[in-house]
Amino acid sequence: MLLQRSAPLLGGVPQAVGRYFSGNGDRVSIADVDEGKVRDLLGLERAPGIPYQGFPIGKPIGSMSYDRLDPATAEFTRFSLQQIYFPGITDLLAQATDTPATSWFGVRKKEMRARWPSWLSVLAMTEDDNEGVFGPPPPTGSSTRVATSLCLSTLSYRPTANTLRGWAAADAEARAVLERDGLARVRPWSENAAGSVSAHPLASCRMGDDPATSALDERGELRGHPGLFVTDGSAVPTSLCVNPSLTIAALAERACPGIVESTAETGVRARYGAPAPR
């Protein structure tokens, strides 16, 4: 969006800027865990009379517990699953019924929320189709405020059949693991309240070989604008199916020699490298 807003001052930007956004295929589900099954099937007891009730305990991300990332398998069937803790927002978006219009609120939802300590949230990161597109930037900021705590983004994201295929595969695997022997009931997040939700926004100014579909070249430099590099998550070409922070950092480091070379060409003294941490 920063580049979109700067386009008039830059004399234009590549057509791929603001396009091909990826949400890293993020798909969150809530497992409504049966405490009795935890005791009977797993023989666990966290405290006397409490087999599980562990949802609010621990770190936001416990582990990458399961993956289907075999490169030999078909595209849009590969994904990873991990336990993740999202307090607050899970209360709203967890579906209590299979009826879309009432899946995230109502009596059934209140009953489900009463069992909140016995939930377990699972994040699937799947392959997606880079279908997100940012519209013209708002007059100020990155969104338009329509109420005290509500903002309207310019991002349009309508999952394609390929993305839905990836989500369905991840949903099926989560159910196969967590609903075995009745241990839990898996409820994907509702998209009716907030649309598609992602914790890992990627691409929209991605690097690649094709100028028609990638705003950056292989060095991370904006096409047609020497010396202008992009090194945040928007440079990542597509969904990674894993947490992207290390990849973002690696791409930023990869761009550093080009940044130093470009700086030196302008006559500014620069060198690549940093002192090792003490």
Side-chain angles (χ1 to χ4, degrees):
M1 188 167 292
L2 180 61
L3 286 177
Q4 286 180 306
R5 193 185 303 284
S6 302
L9 298 176
L10 293 172
V13 293
Q15 63 177 4
V17 170
R19 304 181 65 85
Y20 308 107
F21 171 84
S22 167
N24 203 36
D26 283 7
R27 174 77 166 170
V28 179
S29 297
I30 293 296
D32 189 4
V33 177
D34 185 323
E35 293 278 342
K37 293 288 187 178
V38 172
R39 180 187 61 245
D40 298 341
L41 295 174
L42 304 180
L44 299 178
E45 188 176 63
R46 187 177 60 81
I50 302 176
Y52 171 57
Q53 291 191 9
F55 184 52
I57 299 173
K59 298 180 180 180
I61 300 175
S63 64
M64 176 62 75
S65 53
Y66 202 82
D67 76 69
R68 289 287 192 189
L69 298 176
D70 184 349
T73 56
E75 191 176 9
F76 303 110
T77 64
R78 296 170 290 211
F79 58 87
S80 63
L81 299 176
Q82 68 178 209
Q83 175 273 335
I84 192 165
Y85 178 50
F86 275 144
I89 194 170
T90 50
D91 298 13
L92 172 67
L93 297 179
Q95 298 187 75
T97 73
D98 294 321
T99 304
T102 59
S103 63
W104 58 280
F105 69 95
V107 175
R108 293 279 297 277
K109 182 61 174 289
K110 292 187 69 174
E111 293 172 348
M112 182 178 172
R113 288 180 63 181
R115 299 188 297 274
W116 183 81
S118 297
W119 290 4
L120 185 149
S121 52
V122 177
L123 170 64
M125 289 170 281
T126 73
E127 293 170 301
D128 67 15
D129 228 359
N130 287 87
E131 55 265 75
V133 178
F134 284 95
T140 60
S142 59
S143 59
T144 300
R145 186 171 297 279
V146 295
T148 303
S149 58
L150 183 64
C151 293
L152 183 64
S153 171
T154 65
L155 175 65
S156 172
Y157 188 88
R158 296 180 177 87
T160 66
N162 286 330
T163 297
L164 294 174
R165 177 186 176 194
W167 287 351
D171 286 352
E173 195 72 43
R175 287 192 171 99
V177 173
L178 292 163
E179 292 186 347
R180 183 173 180 177
D181 296 323
L183 181 66
R185 182 168 177 254
V186 175
R187 310 301 303 169
W189 276 11
S190 170
E191 296 170 26
N192 296 320
S196 301
V197 177
S198 172
H200 305 128
L202 303 173
S204 77
C205 188
R206 63 183 184 173
M207 60 192 308
D209 298 325
D210 185 357
T213 60
S214 56
L216 310 177
D217 64 16
E218 73 281 357
R219 301 199 311 166
E221 193 171 27
L222 188 68
R223 298 184 187 279
H225 296 277
L228 181 51
F229 291 78
V230 177
T231 59
D232 63 3
S234 65
V236 177
T238 190
S239 169
L240 301 173
C241 297
V242 295
N243 302 83
S245 58
L246 292 179
T247 301
I248 295 170
L251 288 177
E253 184 172 358
R254 183 175 182 270
C256 286
I259 295 173
V260 170
E261 291 174 10
S262 178
T263 301
E265 290 172 359
T266 66
V268 177
R269 294 183 59 186
R271 62 186 179 87
Y272 177 62
R278 294 182 179 178

